Amino acid sequence: MKKSSLTSEEKQFFMDEAIKEAHKALEFAEVPIGAVVVLNKQIIGRGYNLRETTQDALRHAEMTAIEEACNNIGSWRLEDAQLFATLEPCPMCSGAILQSRIEEVYFGAFDPKAGACGSLINLLEDTRFNHWCYVESDVLAKTCAALLSDFFKKIRAEKKQKKKEISEKD
């Protein structure tokens, strides 16, 4: 059985860095999801959600962080690396995590609609694959979940206000 190689302080530090990435997504009115890839206790890749801005389905925070990490070390193999994500990785990101051989995954909030690390399915710990990961959830979960819920509350309020303005014009 795999286990964590990081202390609770290190986990909190790196999740804080992923949260900083999520805040960058907010600047683009994107869903606030952030990720970092860590190797030897150094961040080698960063990413945040940019799907709407780029109109590219692949621009998830984890995908961007993995791509940057691979470029920074000059290899597709991210063995011994950890990935921190503010939201539970989806099936696409989980596939990229497995393909890049990331050793450990830490995430904040669960994603009951698209999560592939325990919510809907559990791809990363499935030992039928040739590679599988240590997975730990609930790292700064309240902060990560609040980022998302506040974002969607704001979107709903803006839609409601827009409807009200349209109905007042009629």
Side-chain angles (χ1 to χ4, degrees), residues 20-35:
K20 289 178 187 175
E21 293 301 310
H23 282 282
K24 291 177 184 177
L26 282 173
E27 295 173 23
F28 294 93
E30 293 275 359
V31 177
I33 302 168

Side-chain angles (χ1 to χ4, degrees), residues 26 29-32 148-162:
L26 282 173
E30 293 275 359
V31 177
L148 292 160
S149 62
D150 291 349
F151 175 79
F152 287 113
K153 279 180 194 169
K154 181 181 174 196
I155 296 292
R156 286 190 296 275
E158 288 170 356
K159 283 183 181 179
K160 187 176 181 179
Q161 180 63 32
K162 205 175 238 183

Side-chain angles (χ1 to χ4, degrees), residues 24-90:
K24 291 177 184 177
L26 282 173
E27 295 173 23
F28 294 93
E30 293 275 359
V31 177
I33 302 168
V36 296
V37 176
V38 176
L39 183 63
N40 299 322
K41 301 187 181 178
Q42 299 292 316
I43 296 173
I44 60 170
R46 294 176 175 272
Y48 52 91
N49 191 28
L50 278 172
R51 284 192 312 175
E52 295 297 331
T53 302
T54 62
Q55 290 300 298
D56 182 346
L58 304 179
R59 289 297 103 209
H60 286 207
E62 300 95 327
M63 300 293 283
T64 302
I66 290 168
E67 181 178 33
E68 185 176 288
C70 291
N71 288 336
N72 281 336
I73 67 165
S75 176
W76 62 269
R77 290 178 184 89
L78 298 174
E79 295 163 337
D80 300 321
Q82 298 86 27
L83 182 135
F84 288 80
T86 57
L87 184 66
E88 178 183 6
C90 71

